[in-house]
């Protein structure tokens, strides 16, 4: 286990639910035991766990996932509480405290909130406690949702600079067209993406496709990712001992600093600006900042300081960056030289609409 300092483990709803949809307390206990063993070996563990909705459905005796948003959120609220109670009790048996963290995409969009989560996690780890993370289902509606917990776990792994993200599900890993387990993936290419399929379940939300997307995000941030069967005995310990279980996605060398990774992966873009061919060349080939003179269009409603997409011809997203001006201001100054900004905006702002230090080419 020496090669790991910090890992993120994501547990899917299917892993901790039995066939009759009851919450599988023995499995939760076993996962808590394995995590405690890993902690005992000096590796810091963060747990991203699904199962709030599944647990709530079970406690309320619901056969079907509620369709009404507020019913779903109420179900998650009841389930989350119980889930935390179980994890806390099982970790307590091994002398570990658990801290609950509930997040939405908005917490990742705002750089201050993002750094705040990072420091809180740091403080929890300082107490040798296990941060237990889930989407804040009771407030998250579609607009502010992370999407699913596979994505949430990748955001958390990047945020806390983990060495590895382990995604536990109810299959062995990524399976090839002949039904064989792929044990190692060097590069996530079209072939790998095409193996994902789109399986979904009505208790949780993710499928293999979202897991591979998450693997793609973290490996680009220099973090290894393992997808494995969480129903297998000692699976976490086997992974930590390098026993070659599940599918391991090898990490790429990350050339991006933390702030740029936040721009590229963690925050969601609030709008887009379209740029002409000359500006595309300046960004892609000359590593320049984006000036208003190359902007031909603005989409969405965003404030200065928010992350936006930068699109070349044919609406292809080529970069992301932090806008120095709001969408309203950019509509007024697009196509113009910065010497005209003062007379149009009433103040002298930045020369660049997106500075190269706040810009990531995708
Ligand atoms: N947050 C949801 C829950 O705890 C699960 C979302 C997911 O599985 O992706 O039930």
């Amino acid at each position: 286990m020496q090669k790991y300092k910090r890992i993120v483990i994501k547990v899917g709803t299917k892993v901790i639910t039995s066939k009759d949809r009851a919450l599988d307390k023995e499995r939760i206990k076993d996962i808590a035991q394995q995590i405690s063993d890993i902690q005992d070996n000096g590796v810091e563990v963060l747990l991203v766990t699904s199962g709030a909705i599944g647990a709530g459905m079970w406690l309320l005796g619901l056969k079907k996932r509620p369709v009404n948003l507020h019913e779903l959120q109420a179900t998650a609220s009841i389930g989350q509480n119980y889930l935390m109670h179980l994890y806390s009790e099982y970790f307590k048996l091994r002398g570990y405290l658990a801290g609950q963290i509930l997040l939405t995409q908005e917490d990742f969009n705002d750089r201050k909130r993002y750094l705040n989560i990072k420091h809180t996690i740091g403080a929890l780890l300082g107490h040798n406690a296990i941060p237990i993370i889930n989407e804040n289902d009771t407030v998250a509606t579609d607009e502010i949702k992370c999407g699913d917990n596979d994505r949430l776990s990748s955001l958390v792994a990047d945020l806390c600079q983990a060495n590895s993200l382990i995604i536990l599900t109810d299959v062995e890993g990524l399976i090839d067209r002949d039904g064989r387990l792929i044990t190692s993936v060097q590069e996530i290419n079209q072939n790998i993406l095409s193996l994902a399929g789109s399986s979904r379940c009505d208790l949780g939300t993710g499928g293999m496709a979202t897991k591979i997307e998450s693997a793609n995000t973290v490996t680009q941030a220099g973090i290894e990712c393992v997808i494995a069967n969480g129903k297998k005995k000692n699976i976490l310990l086997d992974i930590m001992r390098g026993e070659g279980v599940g599918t391991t996605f090898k990490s790429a060398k990350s050339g991006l600093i933390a702030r740029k990774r936040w721009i590229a992966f963690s925050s969601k873009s609030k709008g887009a600006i379209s740029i002409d061919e000359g500006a595309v060349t300046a960004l892609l080939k000359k590593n320049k900042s984006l000036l208003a003179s190359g902007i031909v269009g603005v989409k969405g409603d965003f404030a200065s300081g928010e992350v936006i997409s930068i699109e070349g011809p044919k609406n292809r997203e080529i970069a992301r960056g932090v806008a120095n001006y709001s969408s309203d201001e950019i509509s007024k100054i697009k196509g113009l030289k910065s010497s005209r900004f003062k007379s149009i905006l009433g103040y002298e702002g930045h020369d660049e609409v997106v500075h190269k230090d706040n810009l990531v080419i995708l």
Side-chain angles (χ1 to χ4, degrees), residues 10 13 49-54 80 83 134-135 137 145 147-150 203-206:
K10 187 258 169 174
T13 304
T49 185
S50 302
I53 294 173
Q80 176 67 24
L83 199 58
N134 196 356
E135 177 119 39
D137 292 310
K145 244 183 174 315
D148 53 71
N149 274 358
D150 294 326
L203 292 173
T205 48

Side-chain angles (χ1 to χ4, degrees), residues 57-71:
M57 283 168 62
W58 176 60
L59 292 166
L60 288 164
L62 304 178
K63 294 267 174 298
K64 279 200 174 138
R65 185 183 170 98
V67 192
N68 174 288
L69 177 65
H70 299 307
E71 279 302 325

Side-chain angles (χ1 to χ4, degrees), residues 53-114:
I53 294 173
M57 283 168 62
W58 176 60
L59 292 166
L60 288 164
L62 304 178
K63 294 267 174 298
K64 279 200 174 138
R65 185 183 170 98
V67 192
N68 174 288
L69 177 65
H70 299 307
E71 279 302 325
L72 189 67
Q73 292 183 318
T75 306
S77 160
I78 291 169
Q80 176 67 24
N81 193 36
Y82 188 62
L83 199 58
M84 274 310 290
H85 163 74
L86 291 181
Y87 276 117
S88 300
E89 286 301 308
Y90 296 143
F91 279 123
K92 201 161 101 190
L93 295 175
R94 294 287 300 269
Y96 288 107
L97 292 170
Q100 173 179 256
I101 303 184
L102 299 175
L103 302 170
T104 64
Q105 178 62 50
E106 289 203 322
D107 298 311
F108 290 92
N109 290 347
D110 184 293
R111 181 97 185 135
K112 273 197 202 132
R113 272 156 84 165
Y114 178 85

Side-chain angles (χ1 to χ4, degrees), residues 21-36:
R21 295 177 162 233
L23 210 56
D24 187 344
K25 292 189 200 167
E26 279 310 307
R27 178 89 49 216
I28 296 176
K29 185 173 179 185
D30 180 58
I31 288 171
Q33 298 277 4
Q34 291 185 65
I35 292 177
S36 303

Side-chain angles (χ1 to χ4, degrees), residues 52-336:
I53 294 173
M57 283 168 62
W58 176 60
L59 292 166
L60 288 164
L62 304 178
K63 294 267 174 298
K64 279 200 174 138
R65 185 183 170 98
V67 192
N68 174 288
L69 177 65
H70 299 307
E71 279 302 325
L72 189 67
Q73 292 183 318
T75 306
S77 160
I78 291 169
Q80 176 67 24
N81 193 36
Y82 188 62
L83 199 58
M84 274 310 290
H85 163 74
L86 291 181
Y87 276 117
S88 300
E89 286 301 308
Y90 296 143
F91 279 123
K92 201 161 101 190
L93 295 175
R94 294 287 300 269
Y96 288 107
L97 292 170
Q100 173 179 256
I101 303 184
L102 299 175
L103 302 170
T104 64
Q105 178 62 50
E106 289 203 322
D107 298 311
F108 290 92
N109 290 347
D110 184 293
R111 181 97 185 135
K112 273 197 202 132
R113 272 156 84 165
Y114 178 85
L115 293 174
N116 198 19
I117 305 164
K118 190 175 171 136
H119 296 144
T120 305
I121 287 176
L124 275 171
L125 296 175
H127 286 292
N128 213 15
I130 322 273
I132 303 187
I133 301 157
N134 196 356
E135 177 119 39
N136 193 352
D137 292 310
T138 55
V139 299
T141 51
D142 276 351
E143 304 88 79
I144 60 164
K145 244 183 174 315
C146 288
D148 53 71
N149 274 358
D150 294 326
R151 182 172 139 76
L152 175 62
S153 64
S154 69
L155 298 179
V156 170
D158 183 33
L159 169 129
C160 72
Q161 288 158 309
N163 307 108
S164 181
L165 167 64
I166 300 172
I167 300 182
L168 294 183
T169 181
D170 64 342
V171 292
E172 300 304 305
L174 186 62
I175 308 294
D176 70 13
R177 288 195 175 76
D178 301 320
R180 284 182 310 236
L181 175 73
I182 299 176
T183 53
S184 173
V185 175
Q186 294 294 338
E187 189 205 355
I188 300 176
N189 51 27
Q190 278 309 321
N191 180 38
I192 294 294
L193 292 171
S194 69
L195 294 173
S198 59
S199 66
R200 285 188 182 274
C201 77
D202 66 348
L203 292 173
T205 48
M208 190 49 81
T210 61
K211 291 175 179 49
I212 295 182
E213 265 168 46
S214 301
N216 196 22
T217 304
V218 296
T219 51
Q220 285 184 58
I223 302 165
E224 145 199 299
C225 180
V226 182
I227 300 177
N229 189 346
K231 296 210 170 209
K232 247 183 163 166
K233 201 166 165 33
N234 289 333
I235 188 74
L236 289 170
L237 300 173
D238 285 347
I239 294 169
M240 296 305 285
R241 291 190 205 109
E243 304 275 327
V245 283
T247 304
T248 301
F249 297 79
K250 303 281 181 198
S251 64
K253 288 248 173 313
S254 170
L256 293 179
I257 58 168
R259 183 176 161 77
K260 291 216 172 185
R261 290 207 312 274
W262 170 73
I263 294 170
F265 306 124
S266 300
S267 57
K268 270 220 165 129
S269 65
K270 288 290 177 76
I273 47 187
S274 322
I275 60 173
D276 61 20
E277 288 285 2
V280 171
T281 309
L283 260 52
L284 298 190
K285 304 246 162 77
K286 300 184 186 150
N287 187 27
K288 297 260 188 210
S289 297
L290 177 65
L291 303 178
S293 52
I295 298 177
V296 291
V298 190
K299 282 186 243 168
D301 185 15
F302 52 87
S304 77
E306 289 189 322
V307 173
I308 54 165
S309 297
I310 299 169
E311 297 178 348
K314 298 197 186 127
N315 297 335
R316 195 169 65 89
E317 186 183 35
I318 58 162
R320 258 183 211 194
V322 178
N324 281 336
Y325 293 97
S326 70
S327 45
D328 282 349
E329 290 168 325
I330 297 175
S331 326
K332 290 181 191 149
I333 58 174
K334 68 177 190 313
L336 303 177

